[in-house]
Amino acid sequence: MTAHKTNWLTTILVTILSVLILIPLYMAIVISLKKPSEMGTNLANFFRFPKILQFANFIDAITTTNFFQTAFNSLVITVCSVVVVVLLTSIISYAIARNMNKRFYRWTYYYLVSAMFVPFSMLMLPLVKQLSFLRIDNKFGLVLMYLVFQMSMSVLLYVGYLKNITVSLDEAAYLDGANSWQIFWKIIFPLLKPMHATVAILTALASWNDLLLPLVVLSGNGNSAVTLPMAQLVFQSQFGTNYNLAFASYMLASLPVLIFYLFAQKQIISGVVNGAVK
Amino acid sequence: MSRKKIFLLMTVPLVVIFFLFDTVPLLTGFVYSLTNSKGFGTFRFIGLSNYFRLFTDGSVLSSYWFTFKFAVVTTVVVNVIGILLALALNSNVKFKTFFRGIYFLPYVLGGLIVGYIFNYIFTFMLPSVGKALGWVFLSSSILGNAGTAWIGIVITVAWQSVAFNILIYISGLQTIPTDIYEAAKMDGSSSWNTFWTITFPLLAPFFTINLVVSMRNFLMVFDQIMSLTGGGPASSTTSISMLIYQNGLSGNQFGYQSANSVIYFIIIVAISVFQLKVLNKREVQL
């Protein structure tokens, strides 16, 4: 490995391959801006940029999928899930990490983390029954489910991170008369910032893009489209022949997460690495 | 309040919630698997007969065959491409962060949307490429053919998930100190040899993570299939998750599909444990 010398051959290779990532995205944007009459089936047509940008597709997509309402629902569910997951799982992780020498806390840790291997399909059918029996087959129930299903991963991450925060910090605060609750909020919670970011990003992506859980939890009460991914599903079956409208709708559904990615790219990438390697 | 009490208060309520909404459904799922429940109305216990029926049910067996074929092939594809691209993106290429940004982009998009975009590519774009070049195998949609539809799903899911693998391998490569490479170079090791004797063994823990996580995720595939083929043609791409979802919730097979999900659960746990055991043995520490 010779340092600082640009490897041009690899750079060219990486550039060519990155086109494979960008083509489908470029294509989706172009289609969403075309008129149906501009589609055609010969090859050049697929890549040709439209003469006049059809922003009307987007306006149609907004009205037919009730975009603002579903986007708002998705946003509320995502924000609530992130807040609940970050607050509650960091608290339990602190209690577990500081008591790993006690059997109860150690077993609790293994119990929570081992649930990572339970496939959602295994829980899906009984959960539907249970949530409708408890009358929480709604957005509240959905947030509760994201808390439960993000718990394994988050606890794993937080406990791993807390091992690196020295116990002497706690001890010093105990001597000053603080209790565990105060120590957590005043000292530990702020120190967990990098992990908060990681857990928040993983939870946000998981709940924003999720289709199966909202489909299962919310389908019982007659709301056919409540979250953005659900709206796309309804859209596809009803307006399947108008591809321009459909793609405008897909672009709209992806736009928030793309903007988020643009601004938080570094955080997201390091967050995912942290999330998986520990 | 004593330290002990506060710690218990921090732990117990959340564990109770977790038990109620994760472990209880797991257990009730097992109970339902022993019944002839349709999902509504009355039902009775029928012992293990759901389980016996599973092994002779053509649609269940074919969904297992499809899901495993898909999961194994996609795991291999994604890890081979992932290691190669991670090596490339970790070497001295120009605009490193820019390229990492691009390669990671698909990961943040929803599986459903990615599925719809590729559905369009396979149905309209690739056939017109095929016709223009005179390639018969591309001139009709691969999704429309029961023999090839699964390949389309492999390509789509791999396109989206390779990002995650690249990232894990890059972070693995960064843990390997560069002086080892300098020593290897002095000893006259070829780059091929260096990869197999140094890079790959030291990358092993990251290989384990990627293999276990990819396999587990791909065995649970749902969104992309929903938007690519809807399980067709002729149920050739119905994954186990889809079968449980469709027949369990609206096909009157609540009890029967519960039995299916118990088997599915046991298989996923067995595969994950097996992978961890076998792969952990091969890992080396510096």
Side-chain angles (χ1 to χ4, degrees), chain B residues 97-286:
Chain B
T97 28
F98 171 74
F99 280 122
R100 282 184 193 177
I102 288 188
Y103 279 101
F104 194 64
L105 189 62
Y107 184 79
V108 299
L109 296 173
L112 193 68
I113 305 283
V114 170
Y116 283 138
I117 294 176
F118 274 82
N119 187 335
Y120 191 86
I121 292 179
F122 289 132
T123 316
F124 297 99
M125 207 168 107
L126 285 184
S128 78
V129 174
K131 274 174 201 145
L133 295 171
W135 292 353
V136 183
F137 71 97
L138 260 188
S139 58
S140 66
S141 168
I142 58 168
L143 296 178
N145 180 324
T148 54
W150 70 281
I151 298 171
I153 298 171
V154 169
I155 294 171
T156 308
V157 175
W159 182 85
Q160 193 177 17
S161 349
V162 78
F164 178 81
N165 295 262
I166 293 174
L167 220 60
I168 304 302
Y169 285 127
I170 287 180
S171 66
L173 287 170
Q174 284 168 348
T175 62
I176 305 176
T178 47
D179 49 346
I180 302 186
Y181 287 110
E182 277 154 27
K185 213 173 184 183
M186 298 247 283
D187 290 344
S189 170
S190 70
S191 39
W192 179 253
N193 259 333
T194 311
F195 176 77
W196 285 112
T197 53
I198 300 176
T199 313
F200 193 69
L202 287 174
L203 218 50
F206 301 89
F207 185 65
T208 307
I209 296 165
N210 269 341
L211 229 52
V212 174
V213 173
S214 321
M215 190 75 177
R216 177 182 154 269
N217 287 343
F218 298 152
L219 283 173
M220 298 184 202
V221 64
F222 184 86
D223 297 17
Q224 289 94 342
I225 296 184
M226 200 80 170
S227 49
L228 273 171
T229 61
S235 329
S236 62
T237 59
T238 301
S239 71
I240 305 170
S241 303
M242 267 187 95
L243 192 71
I244 295 173
Y245 169 76
Q246 286 175 337
N247 291 352
L249 284 181
S250 45
N252 291 349
Q253 298 186 343
F254 198 82
Y256 181 57
Q257 291 302 337
S258 295
N260 190 8
S261 51
V262 170
I263 297 290
Y264 180 44
F265 165 60
I266 293 170
I267 289 176
I268 288 195
V269 171
I271 290 177
S272 305
V273 170
F274 175 77
Q275 283 180 321
L276 287 171
K277 276 241 162 87
V278 171
L279 294 170
N280 274 335
K281 266 191 205 145
R282 303 175 62 99
E283 287 179 10
V284 287
Q285 298 282 319
L286 256 189

Side-chain angles (χ1 to χ4, degrees), chain A residues 1-2 4-8 10-11 14-15 17-18 20-22 24-25 27-28 31 39 41 43 46-47 88 91-92 94-95 98-99 104-105 108 111-112 115-119 121-127 129-131 134 136 144-145 148-149 151 171 174 179-181 184 205 209 211-212 215-216 229 232-233 236 243 247 250 254 257-258 261 265 268-269 272-273 276-277, chain B residues 3-4 6-8 10-12 14-15 17-26 28-30 32 39-40 85 88-89 91-94 97 99-110 112-113 116-118 120-121 124-125 128-129 132 159 164 167-168 171 178 181 185 206 209 212 216 220 222-223 226 241 244-245 248-249 254 257-258 261-262 264-265 268-269 272 276:
Chain A
M1 273 204 178
T2 40
H4 306 305
K5 219 177 126 209
T6 303
N7 188 339
W8 284 109
T10 316
T11 306
V14 166
T15 314
L17 284 174
S18 69
L20 286 181
I21 301 283
L22 295 174
L25 297 173
M27 207 202 68
I31 291 177
M39 294 292 276
T41 50
L43 196 52
F46 286 109
F47 295 102
L88 298 183
I91 293 177
I92 189 173
Y94 173 63
R98 288 296 183 253
N99 294 288
F104 169 74
Y105 290 93
T108 303
Y111 168 57
L112 294 179
M116 230 189 292
F117 291 104
V118 181
S121 326
M122 165 86 210
L123 309 172
M124 172 163 72
L125 303 179
L127 256 183
K129 297 237 143 225
Q130 200 176 326
L131 293 179
L134 296 169
I136 48 171
L144 189 71
M145 289 306 101
V148 169
F149 294 127
M151 201 125 95
E171 301 300 340
Y174 280 125
N179 65 32
S180 310
W181 189 247
F184 176 75
L205 285 178
N209 286 328
L211 170 69
L212 189 50
L215 209 57
V216 165
Q232 305 314 307
L233 204 60
Q236 177 71 5
Y243 286 103
F247 274 77
Y250 307 153
S254 312
V257 78
L258 286 176
Y261 180 64
Q265 188 188 322
I268 294 175
I269 291 181
V272 172
V273 171
V277 175
Chain B
R3 256 193 232 194
K4 223 174 145 186
I6 295 178
F7 278 135
L8 274 177
M10 288 172 156
T11 311
V12 173
L14 217 54
V15 174
I17 290 178
F18 190 81
F19 178 80
L20 283 178
F21 293 98
D22 199 280
T23 310
V24 168
L26 193 76
T28 47
F30 184 72
Y32 278 122
F40 51 85
L85 278 173
L89 288 171
S91 66
N92 289 312
V93 293
K94 271 260 178 240
T97 28
F99 280 122
R100 282 184 193 177
I102 288 188
Y103 279 101
F104 194 64
L105 189 62
Y107 184 79
V108 299
L109 296 173
L112 193 68
I113 305 283
Y116 283 138
I117 294 176
F118 274 82
Y120 191 86
I121 292 179
F124 297 99
M125 207 168 107
S128 78
V129 174
W159 182 85
F164 178 81
L167 220 60
I168 304 302
S171 66
T178 47
Y181 287 110
K185 213 173 184 183
F206 301 89
I209 296 165
V212 174
R216 177 182 154 269
M220 298 184 202
F222 184 86
D223 297 17
M226 200 80 170
S241 303
I244 295 173
Y245 169 76
L249 284 181
F254 198 82
Q257 291 302 337
S258 295
S261 51
V262 170
Y264 180 44
F265 165 60
I268 288 195
V269 171
S272 305
L276 287 171

Side-chain angles (χ1 to χ4, degrees), chain A residues 8 11 13 22-23 27 36 58 101 103 112 116 172 175 203 215-216 246 252 266 268 274:
Chain A
W8 284 109
T11 306
L13 222 84
L22 295 174
I23 283 181
M27 207 202 68
F58 285 87
N101 52 342
R103 196 187 289 157
L112 294 179
M116 230 189 292
L175 289 178
T203 309
L215 209 57
V216 165
L252 278 174
K266 259 197 188 141
I268 294 175
N274 280 329

